[in-house]
Amino acid sequence: MAEDTSSHKMVATNHRRSRTKFTEDQLKILINTFNQKPYPGYATKQKLALEINTEESRIQIWFQNRRARQRFQKRPEADTLESSQSQRQDQPGVEFQSREARRCRTTYSTSQLHTLIKAFVKNPYPGIDSREELAKEIGVPESRVQIWFQNRRSRLLLQRKREPVASLEQEEQDKIPEGPQGIEDTQNDSNFSNDSHFSGARTW
DNA sequence: GTCCTAACCTATTCAGCGA
DNA sequence: TCGCTGAATAGGTTAGGAC
């Protein structure tokens, strides 16, 4: 969907995923589940994904957005200092219920990490095409690649805040000299050292 | 053009695993 | 036990598409 028609601000292949259009039936099932469990565990999300024939990662995003919307709608009357404080503590506005199990931790092999890091150095903000290509290359779901990039960016930022000089050196080291397998990513959008990437103003 | 909402971001926290 | 790092969250922004 997201075609490359926008003349100036799009860098080759740095696209978002195209918007998912849920059917009425799919939404009915999602909303029903959300009303019972706004924080579904991995098993529930998998089951839902199977049931409505979509990816588990889409379910996850849908729940994230739905919770955000609900918080927003509830906010006006619950906006006292008191209530906002009571909403913290990891159970944001939801009656506490024992959380379902998370997804199992993914363990990346050295060569998988090598591939990911190499791609990260080239472009820390890969679009859907690049992520899918990478995912295929290292044999993990695209959603895991996306999470890996998020975590990597966050930790690099954190590191930079704490030790600005050392992190620059680390970046240099990260520019891995040679790798067993390469990625021929066409993105040249980024050098992570360009801080504009962190200003919140992403240009796609 | 406006509105709704999926996709995506950072910041932070939780939690599994190996040293 | 502790540090590293994958997973999940809140809260925010961007942008596709229906109207």
Side-chain angles (χ1 to χ4, degrees):
Chain A
M1 213 125 329
E3 293 305 325
D4 211 359
T5 50
S6 57
S7 47
H8 54 286
K9 59 177 172 184
M10 188 72 75
V11 176
T13 77
N14 210 8
H15 288 293
R16 289 179 165 219
R17 173 196 306 271
S18 55
R19 267 176 90 93
T20 304
K21 177 81 181 129
F22 292 110
T23 65
E24 250 179 65
D25 286 344
Q26 286 175 320
L27 279 174
K28 226 182 266 178
I29 292 170
L30 286 169
I31 291 168
N32 202 19
T33 310
F34 181 85
N35 289 337
Q36 296 165 27
K37 268 186 223 176
Y39 293 87
Y42 179 59
T44 302
K45 282 184 272 186
Q46 277 285 48
K47 205 177 122 215
L48 265 176
L50 221 67
E51 195 176 343
I52 69 171
N53 193 28
T54 188
E55 296 164 35
E56 181 266 335
S57 60
R58 295 312 88 206
I59 306 275
Q60 174 140 346
I61 295 288
W62 186 86
F63 272 82
Q64 275 176 23
N65 286 325
R66 187 83 186 178
R67 285 192 299 264
R69 226 174 306 145
Q70 201 181 51
R71 279 191 301 272
F72 178 76
Q73 283 163 356
K74 280 185 179 170
R75 187 169 287 180
E77 72 268 29
D79 211 11
T80 63
L81 181 64
E82 231 180 309
S83 62
S84 58
Q85 278 172 344
S86 66
Q87 281 192 5
R88 311 232 11 206
Q89 317 297 53
D90 198 30
Q91 310 134 39
V94 178
E95 67 287 356
F96 182 74
Q97 44 190 251
S98 56
R99 288 263 171 95
E100 289 181 43
R102 298 174 159 214
R103 168 198 293 271
C104 289
R105 225 184 131 89
T106 305
T107 316
Y108 294 107
S109 69
T110 312
S111 74
Q112 283 174 320
L113 279 175
H114 188 99
T115 306
L116 286 166
I117 292 168
K118 204 170 150 193
F120 184 85
V121 170
K122 260 188 163 175
N123 181 7
Y125 294 90
I128 180 66
D129 293 344
S130 309
R131 290 199 308 266
E132 266 172 352
E133 203 175 306
L134 255 176
K136 205 167 141 193
E137 188 176 344
I138 65 174
V140 302
E142 177 273 331
S143 61
R144 297 309 88 203
V145 173
Q146 186 161 23
I147 294 294
W148 186 89
F149 272 81
Q150 279 178 16
N151 284 326
R152 185 85 184 177
R153 286 193 301 262
S154 285
R155 264 128 212 176
L156 198 61
L157 273 171
L158 208 63
Q159 193 186 347
R160 268 199 199 162
K161 279 183 191 166
R162 286 204 284 247
E163 34 193 330
V165 178
S167 65
L168 272 178
E169 283 166 10
Q170 177 62 41
E171 256 175 67
E172 287 307 311
Q173 278 175 20
D174 270 353
K175 289 174 185 164
I176 299 167
E178 288 308 319
Q181 65 264 83
I183 323 165
E184 67 311 300
D185 204 328
T186 56
Q187 283 139 340
N188 49 4
D189 166 25
S190 63
N191 244 326
F192 202 57
S193 34
N194 180 353
D195 273 352
S196 64
H197 280 117
F198 294 112
S199 63
R202 273 294 291 151
T203 51
W204 289 88

Coordinates of all heavy atoms in Angstrom, one line a residue, chain A residues 64-131:
Chain A
Q64 N -2.4 -2.4 22.4 CA -1.7 -1.2 22.8 C -2.5 0.1 22.5 O -2.8 0.9 23.4 CB -0.4 -1.0 22.1 CG 0.8 -1.8 22.7 CD 2.0 -1.7 21.9 OE1 2.2 -0.8 21.1 NE2 2.9 -2.7 22.0
N65 N -3.0 0.2 21.3 CA -3.7 1.3 20.9 C -5.1 1.4 21.6 O -5.5 2.5 22.0 CB -4.0 1.3 19.3 CG -2.7 1.7 18.6 OD1 -1.9 2.5 19.0 ND2 -2.5 1.0 17.4
R66 N -5.7 0.3 21.8 CA -7.0 0.2 22.4 C -6.9 0.7 23.9 O -7.7 1.5 24.4 CB -7.5 -1.2 22.4 CG -8.9 -1.3 22.9 CD -9.9 -1.0 21.8 NE -11.3 -0.9 22.3 CZ -12.4 -0.6 21.6 NH1 -12.2 -0.3 20.3 NH2 -13.6 -0.7 22.1
R67 N -5.8 0.3 24.6 CA -5.6 0.7 26.0 C -5.4 2.2 26.0 O -5.9 2.9 26.9 CB -4.4 -0.1 26.6 CG -4.8 -1.5 27.0 CD -3.7 -2.1 27.8 NE -2.4 -2.1 27.2 CZ -1.8 -3.2 26.6 NH1 -2.5 -4.3 26.5 NH2 -0.7 -3.1 26.1
A68 N -4.6 2.7 25.1 CA -4.3 4.1 25.0 C -5.6 4.9 24.8 O -5.8 5.9 25.5 CB -3.3 4.4 23.9
R69 N -6.4 4.4 23.9 CA -7.7 5.1 23.7 C -8.5 5.1 24.9 O -9.2 6.1 25.3 CB -8.4 4.4 22.5 CG -8.9 5.4 21.5 CD -9.5 4.6 20.3 NE -8.5 3.7 19.8 CZ -8.8 2.5 19.3 NH1 -10.0 2.1 19.2 NH2 -7.9 1.7 18.8
Q70 N -8.6 4.0 25.6 CA -9.4 3.9 26.8 C -8.9 4.8 27.9 O -9.7 5.5 28.5 CB -9.4 2.5 27.3 CG -10.6 2.2 28.1 CD -10.6 0.8 28.7 OE1 -9.6 0.3 29.2 NE2 -11.7 0.0 28.5
R71 N -7.6 4.9 28.0 CA -7.1 5.8 29.0 C -7.4 7.2 28.7 O -7.8 8.0 29.6 CB -5.5 5.6 29.1 CG -5.0 4.5 29.9 CD -3.6 4.6 30.1 NE -2.8 4.6 28.8 CZ -2.4 3.6 28.2 NH1 -2.6 2.4 28.6 NH2 -1.7 3.7 27.1
F72 N -7.3 7.5 27.4 CA -7.6 8.9 27.0 C -9.1 9.3 27.3 O -9.4 10.3 27.7 CB -7.3 9.0 25.5 CG -7.6 10.4 25.0 CD1 -6.8 11.5 25.2 CD2 -8.7 10.6 24.2 CE1 -7.0 12.7 24.7 CE2 -9.0 11.9 23.7 CZ -8.2 12.9 24.0
Q73 N -10.0 8.3 27.0 CA -11.4 8.6 27.2 C -11.7 8.7 28.6 O -12.6 9.4 29.0 CB -12.2 7.5 26.5 CG -12.3 7.7 25.0 CD -12.7 6.4 24.3 OE1 -12.9 5.4 24.9 NE2 -12.8 6.5 23.0
K74 N -11.1 7.9 29.5 CA -11.4 7.9 30.9 C -10.8 9.1 31.6 O -11.1 9.5 32.7 CB -10.9 6.7 31.5 CG -11.8 5.5 31.3 CD -11.3 4.3 32.1 CE -12.1 3.1 32.0 NZ -11.5 1.9 32.5
R75 N -9.8 9.7 30.9 CA -9.0 10.7 31.6 C -9.7 11.9 32.2 O -9.5 12.2 33.4 CB -7.8 11.2 30.7 CG -6.9 12.1 31.4 CD -5.7 12.4 30.6 NE -4.8 11.2 30.5 CZ -3.7 11.2 29.9 NH1 -3.3 12.3 29.2 NH2 -2.9 10.2 29.8
P76 N -10.6 12.6 31.5 CA -11.2 13.9 32.0 C -11.7 13.8 33.4 O -11.3 14.6 34.2 CB -12.3 14.1 31.0 CG -11.9 13.5 29.8 CD -11.1 12.3 30.2
E77 N -12.4 12.8 33.7 CA -13.0 12.7 35.1 C -12.0 12.1 36.1 O -12.1 12.3 37.3 CB -14.3 12.0 35.1 CG -14.2 10.5 34.9 CD -14.3 10.1 33.5 OE1 -14.0 11.0 32.6 OE2 -14.8 9.0 33.2
A78 N -11.0 11.4 35.6 CA -10.1 10.7 36.5 C -8.8 11.4 36.6 O -7.7 10.8 36.8 CB -9.9 9.3 36.1
D79 N -8.8 12.7 36.3 CA -7.5 13.4 36.1 C -7.0 14.1 37.4 O -6.1 14.9 37.3 CB -7.7 14.4 35.0 CG -6.3 14.6 34.3 OD1 -5.4 13.8 34.5 OD2 -6.2 15.6 33.5
T80 N -7.5 13.7 38.5 CA -7.0 14.2 39.7 C -5.6 13.7 40.0 O -5.2 12.6 39.5 CB -7.9 13.9 40.9 OG1 -7.9 12.5 41.1 CG2 -9.3 14.4 40.7
L81 N -4.9 14.4 40.9 CA -3.5 14.0 41.2 C -3.6 12.6 41.8 O -2.8 11.7 41.5 CB -2.9 14.9 42.2 CG -1.5 14.6 42.6 CD1 -0.5 14.7 41.4 CD2 -1.0 15.6 43.7
E82 N -4.6 12.5 42.7 CA -4.7 11.2 43.4 C -4.8 10.0 42.5 O -4.1 9.1 42.6 CB -6.0 11.3 44.2 CG -5.9 10.9 45.7 CD -7.3 11.1 46.3 OE1 -7.9 12.1 46.1 OE2 -7.7 10.1 46.9
S83 N -5.8 10.2 41.5 CA -6.0 9.0 40.7 C -4.9 8.7 39.8 O -4.6 7.6 39.5 CB -7.3 9.2 39.9 OG -7.1 10.4 39.0
S84 N -4.2 9.8 39.3 CA -3.1 9.5 38.4 C -2.0 8.8 39.2 O -1.2 8.0 38.6 CB -2.6 10.8 37.8 OG -2.2 11.7 38.8
Q85 N -1.9 9.1 40.5 CA -0.8 8.4 41.2 C -1.2 6.9 41.4 O -0.4 6.0 41.3 CB -0.6 9.1 42.6 CG 0.2 10.3 42.5 CD 0.3 11.0 43.8 OE1 -0.6 10.9 44.6 NE2 1.3 11.9 43.9
S86 N -2.5 6.7 41.7 CA -2.9 5.4 42.0 C -2.9 4.5 40.7 O -2.9 3.3 40.8 CB -4.3 5.4 42.6 OG -5.2 5.8 41.6
Q87 N -2.8 5.2 39.6 CA -2.8 4.4 38.3 C -1.5 3.9 38.0 O -1.3 3.1 37.1 CB -3.3 5.3 37.2 CG -4.8 5.4 37.2 CD -5.3 6.0 35.9 OE1 -4.5 6.2 35.0 NE2 -6.6 6.2 35.8
R88 N -0.4 4.3 38.7 CA 0.9 3.8 38.3 C 1.1 2.4 38.7 O 0.2 1.6 38.5 CB 1.9 4.7 39.0 CG 1.5 6.2 38.7 CD 2.6 7.0 38.2 NE 3.8 6.3 37.7 CZ 4.9 6.9 37.7 NH1 5.1 8.1 38.1 NH2 6.0 6.2 37.3
Q89 N 2.1 2.1 39.3 CA 2.3 0.7 39.9 C 2.0 -0.4 39.0 O 1.5 -1.4 39.4 CB 1.5 0.6 41.2 CG 1.4 1.7 42.1 CD 2.8 2.1 42.7 OE1 3.7 2.3 41.9 NE2 2.9 2.1 44.0
D90 N 2.3 -0.2 37.7 CA 2.2 -1.3 36.8 C 0.8 -2.0 36.6 O 0.7 -3.0 36.0 CB 3.2 -2.4 37.3 CG 3.5 -3.4 36.1 OD1 3.4 -2.9 35.0 OD2 3.7 -4.5 36.4
Q91 N -0.2 -1.4 37.1 CA -1.5 -1.8 36.7 C -2.3 -0.6 36.4 O -3.2 -0.2 37.1 CB -2.2 -2.5 37.9 CG -1.4 -3.5 38.6 CD -1.4 -3.3 40.1 OE1 -2.5 -3.0 40.6 NE2 -0.3 -3.5 40.7
P92 N -2.0 -0.1 35.3 CA -2.6 1.3 34.9 C -4.1 1.2 34.8 O -4.6 1.0 33.7 CB -1.9 1.6 33.6 CG -1.0 0.4 33.3 CD -1.3 -0.7 34.2
G93 N -4.7 1.6 35.8 CA -6.1 1.7 35.8 C -6.9 0.5 35.6 O -8.1 0.5 35.4
V94 N -6.3 -0.6 35.7 CA -7.0 -1.9 35.5 C -7.0 -2.7 36.8 O -5.9 -2.7 37.5 CB -6.3 -2.7 34.4 CG1 -7.0 -4.0 34.3 CG2 -6.3 -1.9 33.1
E95 N -8.1 -3.3 37.1 CA -8.1 -4.1 38.3 C -7.0 -5.2 38.2 O -6.8 -5.7 37.1 CB -9.4 -4.8 38.5 CG -9.8 -5.8 37.5 CD -10.2 -5.2 36.2 OE1 -10.2 -4.0 36.0 OE2 -10.5 -6.0 35.2
F96 N -6.3 -5.4 39.3 CA -5.2 -6.3 39.2 C -5.6 -7.7 39.0 O -6.5 -8.3 39.6 CB -4.3 -6.2 40.5 CG -3.1 -7.1 40.4 CD1 -2.1 -6.7 39.6 CD2 -3.1 -8.3 41.0 CE1 -1.0 -7.5 39.5 CE2 -2.0 -9.1 40.9 CZ -0.9 -8.7 40.2
Q97 N -5.1 -8.3 38.0 CA -5.3 -9.8 37.8 C -3.9 -10.3 37.5 O -3.1 -9.7 36.8 CB -6.3 -10.0 36.7 CG -6.0 -9.1 35.5 CD -7.1 -9.2 34.5 OE1 -7.0 -9.8 33.4 NE2 -8.3 -8.6 34.8
S98 N -3.7 -11.6 37.9 CA -2.4 -12.2 37.6 C -2.1 -12.2 36.1 O -2.9 -12.7 35.4 CB -2.3 -13.6 38.2 OG -3.4 -14.3 37.7
R99 N -1.0 -11.6 35.7 CA -0.7 -11.5 34.3 C -0.4 -12.9 33.7 O 0.2 -13.7 34.4 CB 0.6 -10.7 34.2 CG 0.3 -9.2 34.4 CD 0.1 -8.5 33.1 NE -0.3 -7.1 33.4 CZ 0.6 -6.1 33.4 NH1 1.8 -6.3 33.2 NH2 0.1 -4.9 33.7
E100 N -0.9 -13.0 32.5 CA -0.6 -14.3 31.8 C 0.9 -14.3 31.4 O 1.6 -13.2 31.4 CB -1.4 -14.4 30.5 CG -2.9 -14.6 30.8 CD -3.6 -14.7 29.5 OE1 -3.1 -15.4 28.6 OE2 -4.7 -14.1 29.4
A101 N 1.4 -15.4 31.0 CA 2.8 -15.6 30.7 C 3.2 -14.7 29.5 O 2.3 -14.5 28.5 CB 3.1 -17.0 30.4
R102 N 4.4 -14.2 29.5 CA 4.9 -13.5 28.3 C 5.4 -14.5 27.3 O 5.5 -15.6 27.5 CB 6.1 -12.7 28.7 CG 5.9 -11.6 29.8 CD 7.3 -11.1 30.1 NE 7.1 -9.8 30.8 CZ 7.9 -8.8 30.6 NH1 9.0 -8.9 29.9 NH2 7.7 -7.6 31.2
R103 N 5.7 -13.9 26.2 CA 6.3 -14.7 25.1 C 7.7 -15.1 25.7 O 8.3 -14.4 26.4 CB 6.5 -13.8 23.9 CG 7.5 -14.3 22.8 CD 7.9 -13.2 21.9 NE 6.8 -12.7 21.2 CZ 6.5 -13.1 20.0 NH1 7.1 -14.1 19.4 NH2 5.4 -12.6 19.4
C104 N 8.2 -16.3 25.2 CA 9.5 -16.8 25.7 C 10.6 -15.9 25.1 O 10.4 -15.3 24.0 CB 9.7 -18.2 25.2 SG 8.7 -19.3 26.1
R105 N 11.6 -15.7 25.9 CA 12.7 -14.9 25.5 C 13.3 -15.5 24.2 O 13.6 -16.7 24.2 CB 13.7 -14.9 26.6 CG 14.3 -13.6 26.9 CD 15.4 -13.8 27.9 NE 16.6 -13.1 27.5 CZ 16.8 -11.8 27.9 NH1 16.0 -11.1 28.6 NH2 17.9 -11.3 27.5
T106 N 13.6 -14.7 23.2 CA 14.3 -15.1 22.0 C 15.8 -15.1 22.3 O 16.3 -14.1 22.8 CB 14.0 -14.2 20.8 OG1 12.6 -14.1 20.7 CG2 14.7 -14.7 19.6
T107 N 16.5 -16.2 22.0 CA 17.9 -16.1 22.2 C 18.6 -16.1 20.8 O 18.4 -17.0 20.0 CB 18.4 -17.4 22.9 OG1 17.6 -17.7 24.0 CG2 19.9 -17.2 23.4
Y108 N 19.3 -15.0 20.5 CA 19.9 -14.9 19.2 C 21.3 -15.5 19.2 O 22.1 -15.4 20.2 CB 20.0 -13.4 18.9 CG 18.7 -12.7 18.7 CD1 18.2 -11.8 19.6 CD2 17.9 -13.0 17.5 CE1 16.9 -11.2 19.4 CE2 16.7 -12.4 17.4 CZ 16.2 -11.5 18.3 OH 15.0 -10.9 18.1
S109 N 21.6 -16.2 18.1 CA 22.9 -16.7 17.9 C 23.9 -15.6 17.6 O 23.5 -14.5 17.3 CB 22.9 -17.8 16.8 OG 22.7 -17.1 15.6
T110 N 25.2 -15.9 17.7 CA 26.2 -14.9 17.3 C 26.0 -14.4 15.9 O 26.1 -13.2 15.7 CB 27.6 -15.5 17.5 OG1 27.6 -16.2 18.8 CG2 28.7 -14.5 17.4
S111 N 25.8 -15.3 15.0 CA 25.7 -14.9 13.6 C 24.4 -14.0 13.4 O 24.4 -13.1 12.6 CB 25.7 -16.0 12.7 OG 24.6 -16.8 12.7
Q112 N 23.3 -14.4 14.1 CA 22.1 -13.6 14.0 C 22.4 -12.2 14.5 O 22.0 -11.2 13.9 CB 21.0 -14.3 14.8 CG 20.3 -15.5 14.1 CD 19.3 -16.1 15.0 OE1 19.5 -16.3 16.2 NE2 18.2 -16.6 14.5
L113 N 23.0 -12.1 15.6 CA 23.4 -10.8 16.2 C 24.3 -10.0 15.3 O 24.1 -8.8 15.1 CB 24.0 -11.0 17.6 CG 23.0 -11.2 18.7 CD1 23.8 -11.5 20.0 CD2 22.1 -10.1 18.9
H114 N 25.2 -10.7 14.7 CA 26.1 -10.1 13.8 C 25.3 -9.4 12.7 O 25.5 -8.2 12.3 CB 27.1 -11.1 13.2 CG 28.2 -10.5 12.4 ND1 29.4 -10.3 12.9 CD2 28.2 -10.1 11.1 CE1 30.2 -9.7 12.0 NE2 29.5 -9.6 10.9
T115 N 24.4 -10.2 12.1 CA 23.6 -9.6 11.0 C 22.7 -8.4 11.5 O 22.6 -7.4 10.8 CB 22.6 -10.7 10.5 OG1 23.4 -11.9 10.2 CG2 21.9 -10.3 9.3
L116 N 22.1 -8.6 12.6 CA 21.3 -7.5 13.2 C 22.1 -6.2 13.4 O 21.7 -5.1 13.0 CB 20.6 -7.9 14.5 CG 19.5 -8.9 14.3 CD1 19.1 -9.5 15.7 CD2 18.3 -8.2 13.7
I117 N 23.3 -6.4 14.0 CA 24.1 -5.2 14.4 C 24.6 -4.5 13.1 O 24.6 -3.3 13.0 CB 25.3 -5.6 15.2 CG1 24.8 -6.1 16.6 CG2 26.3 -4.5 15.4 CD1 25.8 -6.7 17.5
K118 N 25.0 -5.4 12.1 CA 25.4 -4.8 10.9 C 24.3 -4.0 10.2 O 24.5 -2.9 9.7 CB 25.8 -5.9 9.9 CG 26.8 -5.6 8.9 CD 27.3 -6.8 8.2 CE 27.7 -6.5 6.8 NZ 27.9 -7.7 6.0
A119 N 23.1 -4.5 10.3 CA 22.0 -3.8 9.7 C 21.7 -2.5 10.5 O 21.4 -1.5 9.9 CB 20.7 -4.7 9.7
F120 N 21.9 -2.6 11.8 CA 21.6 -1.5 12.6 C 22.6 -0.3 12.3 O 22.2 0.9 12.3 CB 21.7 -1.9 14.1 CG 21.4 -0.8 15.1 CD1 20.1 -0.6 15.5 CD2 22.4 0.0 15.6 CE1 19.8 0.4 16.4 CE2 22.1 1.0 16.5 CZ 20.8 1.2 16.9
V121 N 23.8 -0.7 12.1 CA 24.8 0.4 11.8 C 24.4 1.1 10.5 O 24.6 2.3 10.4 CB 26.2 -0.3 11.7 CG1 27.2 0.7 11.2 CG2 26.6 -0.7 13.1
K122 N 24.0 0.3 9.6 CA 23.6 0.8 8.3 C 22.3 1.7 8.4 O 22.3 2.8 7.9 CB 23.2 -0.3 7.3 CG 24.3 -0.6 6.3 CD 23.8 -1.6 5.3 CE 24.7 -1.6 4.1 NZ 24.2 -2.6 3.1
N123 N 21.4 1.2 9.2 CA 20.1 2.0 9.3 C 19.4 1.5 10.6 O 18.8 0.5 10.6 CB 19.2 1.7 8.1 CG 17.9 2.5 8.2 OD1 17.7 3.3 9.1 ND2 17.0 2.2 7.3
P124 N 19.4 2.4 11.6 CA 18.8 2.0 12.9 C 17.2 2.1 12.8 O 16.6 1.7 13.7 CB 19.3 3.0 13.9 CG 19.9 4.1 13.1 CD 20.2 3.6 11.7
Y125 N 16.7 2.6 11.7 CA 15.3 2.7 11.6 C 14.8 2.0 10.3 O 14.4 2.7 9.3 CB 14.8 4.2 11.5 CG 15.0 4.9 12.8 CD1 16.2 5.6 13.0 CD2 14.0 5.0 13.8 CE1 16.4 6.3 14.2 CE2 14.2 5.7 14.9 CZ 15.4 6.3 15.2 OH 15.6 7.0 16.3
P126 N 14.9 0.7 10.2 CA 14.6 0.0 9.0 C 13.1 0.0 8.8 O 12.3 0.0 9.7 CB 15.1 -1.4 9.2 CG 15.0 -1.5 10.7 CD 15.3 -0.2 11.3
G127 N 12.7 0.1 7.6 CA 11.2 0.1 7.2 C 10.8 -1.4 7.2 O 11.6 -2.3 7.4
I128 N 9.5 -1.6 6.9 CA 9.0 -2.9 6.9 C 9.7 -3.8 6.0 O 9.9 -5.0 6.3 CB 7.4 -2.9 6.7 CG1 6.8 -4.3 6.7 CG2 7.1 -2.2 5.3 CD1 6.8 -4.9 8.0
D129 N 10.0 -3.3 4.8 CA 10.7 -4.2 3.8 C 12.0 -4.7 4.3 O 12.3 -5.9 4.2 CB 10.9 -3.4 2.5 CG 9.6 -3.1 1.8 OD1 8.6 -3.7 2.2 OD2 9.6 -2.2 0.9
S130 N 12.8 -3.8 4.9 CA 14.1 -4.2 5.4 C 14.0 -5.2 6.6 O 14.7 -6.1 6.7 CB 14.9 -3.0 5.8 OG 14.9 -2.1 4.8
R131 N 13.0 -4.9 7.4 CA 12.8 -5.7 8.6 C 12.4 -7.1 8.2 O 12.9 -8.1 8.7 CB 11.7 -5.2 9.5 CG 12.2 -3.9 10.2 CD 11.3 -3.6 11.5 NE 9.9 -3.7 11.2 CZ 9.1 -2.6 10.9 NH1 9.7 -1.4 10.8 NH2 7.8 -2.7 10.6

